[in-house]
């Protein structure tokens, strides 16, 4: 079997040294896999993604990426840092953080230009990605003029243009309407078909089956509660309810009141 | 009587709407007029040359010609002349009025007497050199301000910023200003939403002391939010390979029209100096 591109062993991270965000995380991720990290709000999903992207570093345990131990020091090596940033691209949860340039075009081109891709090549990639994602008409606009869905697409474009081997997405469908959610899922699946490893953090259960080969569920204790195939996991309502991913409530169907587990992935929710 | 809580609310709303209109409105810059079609770098260079010419001339005919040229450029750039005149002449009294009025009188500019009158027993005399100096000064201010406003409204602000690099302004400076431009709007939205949230929970009238407390609390919150955002944006930059030296796409293209315009301006400039 292939060597994992990411290997996490007993990883612990806390904020300000006293607020634990992750405890004892073990994880192996292989090239081309689709991994989903599920968890309720505040379970440490974003922190885990930031660790995988080498933005923060574990206080205990170890992370190896592409065979190298990820520690703050290794990013002082400019070659390693550039190589790693080319390989791993993170789409942040809040697109207002990721889109910091005055225009969409400049935002999308920021990554490749920083990573030493030539201007001509960057312009070619820009044209292709804008066409693929249907955002050609947004290029000259300012990020503040975009809708949430458009911002999210632009944020994904600004990461995909780097052509990373690993695409890491933090809540890519949060707050989006069903049609835009579908468009985002299609983009993710296309990226995976092109050979990219996909790591997605979400609590949006209706996309999990499509975008995952394997699901890691984070518990309220900030630990991995379960690693499972998506079909089996989604069938376990009790487990999902325990981890605050679905809820039970009473309501009526054709004048008959009843109670059962319930999730609201969008307007067309499942019973 | 002015209600103090209304004053704060109206000032905030006014400031926000002015900023949104003035800083973020790209409507004129997106029109397909003459100036909009020029390369921003060439446009800046030629407009700076025009302003320098305005500053170095004492000839009212040249000033009037330049002002007429400015209006003609505005017209051919599809700028509504009423809007343009209103926008420029609002600034001109601010710049010139307090300087020009004393210069009219003999105690500042002595010379041939034009008119004499007295106010409350104080005899005031307007002199010919005083008046011509005042007219020249006002014409200079009007023309310079008009060119500056015309440049601003026919060029998208980020393009204007990017073009500053022609003058050797470091990329990091241009990049930082660009980010400020981006996030001013973001914070304006936060302020606007906070105002609405306060209003929705407190009704129309708040005691002014409480209003002051809310404003102070909001300033503190905004500072904390900007500090947090600063860290998050830095992580987003690191994630896409930022290592201290920002790089930007140079997508400006100088065409034949730009070269012809530049050549025309340079020829006129050299002729006018002789």
């Amino acid at each position: 079997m292939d060597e994992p591109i990411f290997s996490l062993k007993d990883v612990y991270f806390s904020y300000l040294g006293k607020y634990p965000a992750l405890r004892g995380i073990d994880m192996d991720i292989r090239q081309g896999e689709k991994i989903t990290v599920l968890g309720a709000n505040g379970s440490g999903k974003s922190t885990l993604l930031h660790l995988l992207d080498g933005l923060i570093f574990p206080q205990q345990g170890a992370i190896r990426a592409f065979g190298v131990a990820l520690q703050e020091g290794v990013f002082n090596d400019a070659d390693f840092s550039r190589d790693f940033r080319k390989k791993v691209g993170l789409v942040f949860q809040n697109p207002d953080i990721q889109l910091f340039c005055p225009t969409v075009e400049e935002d999308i081109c920021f990554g490749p230009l920083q990573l030493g891709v030539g201007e001509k090549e960057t312009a070619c990639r820009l044209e292709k990605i804008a066409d693929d994602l249907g955002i050609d008409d947004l290029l000259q606009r300012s990020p503040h003029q975009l809708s949430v869905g458009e911002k999210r697409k632009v944020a994904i474009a600004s990461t995909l243009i780097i052509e990373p081997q690993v695409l890491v997405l933090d809540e890519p469908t949060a707050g989006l309407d069903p049609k835009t959610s579908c468009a985002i899922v299609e983009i993710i699946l296309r990226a995976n078909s092109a050979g990219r490893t996909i790591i997605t953090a979400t609590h949006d259960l209706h996309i999990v089956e499509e975008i995952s080969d394997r699901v890691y569920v984070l518990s309220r204790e900030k630990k991995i509660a379960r690693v499972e195939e998506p079909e089996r996991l989604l069938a376990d309502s009790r487990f999902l309810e325990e981890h605050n991913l679905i809820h039970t409530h009473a309501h009526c169907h054709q004048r008959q009141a009843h109670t059962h587990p319930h999730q609201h992935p969008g307007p067309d929710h499942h019973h | 009587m002015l209600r103090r809580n209304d004053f704060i609310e109206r000032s905030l709303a006014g400031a926000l709407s002015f900023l949104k209109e003035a800083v973020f409105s790209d409507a004129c810059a997106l029109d397909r007029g003459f100036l909009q079609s020029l390369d921003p770098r060439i446009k800046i260079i030629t407009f700076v040359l025009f302003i320098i010419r305005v500053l170095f001339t004492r000839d009212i005919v040249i000033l009037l010609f330049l002002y007429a040229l400015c209006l003609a450029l505005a017209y051919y750039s599809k700028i509504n002349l009423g809007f343009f005149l209103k926008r420029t002449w609002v600034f001109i009294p601010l710049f010139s009025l307090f300087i020009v009025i004393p210069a009219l009188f003999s105690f500042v500019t002595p010379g041939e007497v034009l008119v004499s009158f007295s106010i409350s027993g104080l005899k005031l005399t307007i002199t010919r050199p005083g008046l011509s100096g005042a007219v020249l000064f006002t014409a200079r201010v009007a023309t310079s301000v008009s060119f500056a406003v015309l440049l601003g409204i026919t060029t998208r602000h980020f393009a204007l910023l990017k073009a500053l690099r022609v003058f050797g302004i470091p990329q990091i400076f241009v990049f930082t200003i660009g980010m400020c431009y981006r996030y001013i709007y973001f914070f304006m939205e936060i302020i606007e939403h906070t105002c609405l949230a306060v209003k929705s929970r407190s009704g129309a009238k708040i005691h002014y002391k409480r209003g002051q407390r809310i404003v102070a609390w909001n300033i503190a919150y905004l500072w904390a939010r900007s500090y947090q955002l600063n860290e998050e944006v830095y992580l987003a930059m690191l994630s896409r390979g930022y290592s201290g030296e920002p790089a930007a796409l140079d997508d400006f293209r100088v065409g034949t029209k730009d070269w012809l315009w530049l050549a025309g301006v340079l020829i006129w400039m050299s002729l006018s100096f002789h």
Side-chain angles (χ1 to χ4, degrees), chain A residues 27-247:
Chain A
M27 217 176 199
D28 280 327
I29 301 169
R30 291 184 167 73
Q31 182 66 44
E33 273 192 306
K34 290 179 286 176
I35 300 293
T36 295
V37 181
L38 264 185
N41 294 334
S43 57
K45 301 188 294 292
S46 297
T47 306
L48 178 59
L49 299 194
H50 286 195
L51 283 165
L52 292 173
D53 196 34
L55 296 174
I56 51 177
F57 301 92
Q59 288 146 355
Q60 286 168 31
I63 301 180
R64 292 185 74 81
F66 308 100
V68 176
L70 279 193
Q71 291 158 345
E72 205 157 2
V74 295
F75 284 89
N76 293 335
D77 176 352
D79 289 335
F80 173 82
S81 177
R82 188 180 299 127
D83 190 46
F84 182 84
R85 300 289 174 217
K86 278 184 180 175
K87 283 180 177 165
V88 184
L90 170 64
V91 179
F92 283 70
Q93 185 177 352
N94 180 357
D96 275 318
I97 287 167
Q98 186 155 358
L99 307 178
F100 44 75
C101 294
T103 64
V104 166
E105 184 186 76
E106 282 185 271
D107 251 317
I108 297 177
C109 294
F110 180 85
L113 290 174
Q114 291 303 310
L115 294 167
V117 178
E119 287 206 4
K120 261 191 177 172
E121 171 65 15
T122 302
C124 283
R125 289 190 193 181
L126 171 72
E127 202 181 319
K128 187 175 180 306
I129 204 112
D131 189 42
D132 284 352
L133 270 60
I135 52 170
D136 314 62
D137 55 330
L138 307 180
L139 294 180
Q140 293 308 315
R141 285 167 68 181
S142 228
H144 72 260
Q145 296 170 325
L146 309 182
S147 68
V148 184
E150 288 171 334
K151 279 184 192 172
R152 196 88 67 183
K153 277 188 187 174
V154 172
I156 293 176
S158 71
T159 306
L160 275 180
I161 196 172
I162 297 168
E163 300 184 346
Q165 283 181 30
V166 184
L167 181 62
V168 185
L169 301 113
D170 196 353
E171 307 263 11
T173 57
L176 299 184
D177 58 65
K179 201 176 169 190
T180 316
S181 283
C182 280
I184 300 287
V185 169
E186 271 176 32
I187 294 167
I188 295 171
L189 293 178
R190 255 185 283 154
N192 183 247
S193 306
R196 300 188 208 294
T197 308
I198 307 290
I199 306 169
T200 314
T202 186
H203 50 214
D204 186 353
L205 292 186
H206 87 293
I207 64 166
V208 169
E209 210 167 336
E210 275 185 284
I211 61 160
S212 328
D213 296 325
R214 196 149 36 98
V215 182
Y216 286 83
V217 181
L218 289 175
S219 67
R220 258 167 285 179
E221 292 73 39
K222 328 281 183 185
K223 292 177 176 175
I224 291 177
R226 187 162 163 182
V227 185
E228 190 66 89
E229 286 175 3
E231 297 81 7
R232 289 168 66 107
L233 183 81
L234 294 175
D236 191 346
S237 305
R238 203 168 148 189
F239 176 83
L240 295 175
E241 201 177 337
E242 262 173 36
H243 289 86
N244 209 15
L245 294 164
I246 55 174
H247 63 274

Side-chain angles (χ1 to χ4, degrees), chain B residues 41 65 94 96 105 133-134 150 188 239:
Chain B
R41 295 167 301 179
F65 170 77
L94 287 177
S96 55
F105 300 104
L150 189 59
M188 276 181 0
S239 171

Side-chain angles (χ1 to χ4, degrees), chain B residues 122-254:
Chain B
L122 180 70
K123 194 183 172 198
L124 294 168
T125 305
I126 294 178
T127 63
R128 185 178 291 278
L131 183 67
S132 63
V135 169
L136 189 71
F137 183 79
T138 310
R140 270 183 184 161
V141 172
T143 316
S144 312
V145 168
S146 299
F147 272 113
V149 169
L150 189 59
L151 177 67
I153 60 177
T154 57
T155 319
R156 297 191 72 188
H157 292 93
F158 71 88
L160 210 54
L161 273 176
K162 268 175 89 173
L164 288 177
R165 272 179 291 165
V166 179
F167 300 99
I169 292 173
Q171 171 62 28
I172 185 74
F173 182 81
V174 174
F175 183 73
T176 310
I177 300 278
M179 284 179 78
C180 289
Y181 171 84
R182 161 76 178 94
Y183 284 108
I184 281 174
Y185 190 87
F186 184 75
F187 284 115
M188 276 181 0
E189 278 190 332
I190 293 181
I191 296 171
E192 216 170 11
H193 294 160
T194 310
C195 285
L196 285 176
V198 169
K199 204 173 178 179
S200 78
R201 278 181 284 166
S202 59
K205 285 184 183 176
I206 312 172
H207 189 271
Y208 78 91
K209 277 196 174 171
R210 189 153 173 252
Q212 284 170 352
R213 266 204 300 276
I214 291 172
V215 170
W217 180 85
N218 273 302
I219 292 169
Y221 168 74
L222 209 60
W223 186 85
R225 184 76 188 89
S226 70
Y227 193 75
Q228 187 193 359
L229 191 76
N230 153 45
E231 284 186 12
E232 291 171 339
V233 170
Y234 182 63
L235 287 182
M237 289 167 70
L238 279 185
S239 171
R240 283 195 277 158
Y242 177 72
S243 55
E245 277 297 318
L249 194 64
D250 183 9
D251 50 357
F252 291 141
R253 297 284 173 267
V254 182

